[in-house]
Amino acid sequence: MFLKNAWYVAAWDHEITRELQQITVLGEKICVFRSEAGDLVGLEDACPHRKLPLSKGRIKGDTVECGYHGLTFDCAGQCVWAPGTGRIPSNAKVHAYPLHEKYGLVWIWMGNPALAETSDIFEIENYGDPAWGINRGAAMELDCNYLLMCDNLLDPTHVAWVHQSSFAAEATKDTPLRITKTDDGVIVHRWMMDHEPAPFYKKIVEFEGNCDRLQHYEVRYPSHALIKAVFTPAGTGGPDGPLHEKTFVMDSYNFMTPTNEGQTRYYWFQLRNIRPHDEALSEMMTADVQHAFDEDRDVLNEIQKGMSNKRSPHIDLPIDGGQLRFRRQLQAMINEEQQVDRQMAE
Ligand SMILES: [Fe+2]
């Protein structure tokens, strides 16, 4: 089940063009394209006559012509031409999804269009700030339910075993976690003091010797994550410490879009507070992060299979507290939304 009254990432902005294209979000097939003026359009991908996907038809200016009998739809999903009688049946229309471009991503609203507010899209601090560098990778296809990646991004401990060549340090195994529930999600975080930086960060930080390190793992409803990493010279970090001028901050943004119950499209990029124009650094970060996320994908795809074919019940550990709170609250939001929808339909 999915939360429908929410913004999800539908695509990178460059992926949607003047070519008709089918995407799948929350199990719904959507025909996406750009109008002649470059505006984004998303229509239910099924002609109401015999349900041929509109994406199999033709784009004609700012309309789409069905490839079966030529029924033609405008950008709002209204049929503007139908063959036969000279008049258009009143129920000849398809759902039009609100779309919005932000942060180089195309966002889609999957619920009631009347409730879509673009100001509700995930807020990204420092995006577009010339003092911050950015690196991005391609979208990743995961063969698992989106909540397994949400779990992963509320789990700072897994790096000790899954990412040994990049994000792991001895301290990531057992330093206690702190869990905070916010209005729009859950944060799991911890400071680890005075240890050697993990291999990936050692290449990047601009100070020598040991570090204090923050892992801030935050997931907001329905499935958007901010993973903040802070590294300061040992002795200058911690929740109250004034941060050192050589502090390195990396904000990793992660957006999980359910394709369906068993598949997820995963979009990510990182912002950093150092050397914003250093292209070689951006490329190195993208390559290393991609490698680490491939490690996550391999584990999560296997977990999907393992959890759907259990011989015995699985167990939870104290480190799972953040994930369990997140899932419980999201499920409550989904239940409420479905109840209201049922009530409105009566
Ligand atoms: Fe990971």
Side-chain angles (χ1 to χ4, degrees), residues 103-137:
Y103 311 129
L105 296 164
V106 174
W107 297 79
I108 187 163
W109 180 266
M110 296 301 294
N112 179 352
L115 302 178
E117 292 282 354
T118 56
S119 58
D120 290 339
I121 289 175
F122 193 103
E123 193 59 46
I124 296 187
E125 206 189 341
N126 303 316
Y127 188 91
D129 182 335
W132 286 69
I134 188 166
N135 65 286
R136 302 173 190 266

Side-chain angles (χ1 to χ4, degrees), residues 185-303:
V186 172
I187 301 170
V188 181
H189 59 112
R190 61 182 171 186
W191 273 98
M192 293 161 289
M193 312 304 278
D194 195 7
H195 66 280
E196 195 185 346
F200 170 74
Y201 300 104
K202 197 168 186 171
K203 294 192 283 187
I204 301 171
V205 297
E206 298 181 325
F207 55 85
E208 298 293 325
N210 279 4
C211 66
D212 295 338
R213 170 185 184 181
L214 170 72
Q215 277 182 303
H216 167 111
Y217 278 45
E218 176 174 4
V219 185
R220 299 184 197 163
Y221 312 116
S223 49
H224 305 144
L226 162 60
I227 308 300
K228 183 187 273 292
V230 179
F231 284 78
T232 74
T236 65
D240 313 315
L243 295 176
H244 193 271
E245 53 171 340
K246 294 274 191 222
T247 297
F248 170 65
V249 180
M250 183 175 92
D251 291 335
S252 180
Y253 291 94
N254 306 256
F255 305 106
M256 283 68 73
T257 302
T259 305
N260 52 45
E261 290 287 348
Q263 291 175 307
T264 301
R265 199 157 197 244
Y266 177 31
Y267 303 83
W268 53 270
F269 57 80
Q270 281 83 40
L271 293 175
R272 64 174 186 274
N273 71 334
I274 60 163
R275 288 146 50 204
H277 306 298
D278 186 337
E279 286 306 318
L281 176 60
S282 296
E283 279 172 31
M284 188 271 279
M285 289 176 72
T286 294
D288 283 16
V289 170
Q290 177 75 57
H291 177 76
F293 288 1
D294 286 345
E295 293 172 333
D296 286 314
R297 185 195 53 209
D298 292 349
V299 167
L300 297 180
N301 287 357
E302 289 301 323
I303 289 175

Side-chain angles (χ1 to χ4, degrees), residues 10-25:
W12 290 109
D13 56 5
H14 59 82
E15 291 179 311
I16 300 188
T17 64
R18 287 285 291 159
E19 298 277 313
L20 298 178
Q21 200 184 143
Q22 183 182 77
I23 62 169
T24 307
V25 178

Side-chain angles (χ1 to χ4, degrees), residues 149 152-153 155 158-159 162-163 167 217 266 292-293 295-296:
M149 186 50 99
N152 186 260
L153 295 173
D155 174 14
H158 82 276
V159 302
V162 179
H163 306 307
F167 305 150
Y217 278 45
Y266 177 31
F293 288 1
E295 293 172 333
D296 286 314

Side-chain angles (χ1 to χ4, degrees), residues 2-8 26 108-116 120 221-222 333 336-338 340-341:
F2 308 112
L3 192 70
K4 297 194 70 172
N5 286 312
W7 291 100
Y8 292 87
L26 312 191
I108 187 163
W109 180 266
M110 296 301 294
N112 179 352
L115 302 178
D120 290 339
Y221 312 116
M333 291 163 73
E336 186 192 27
E337 186 177 272
Q338 292 184 348
V340 171
D341 281 353

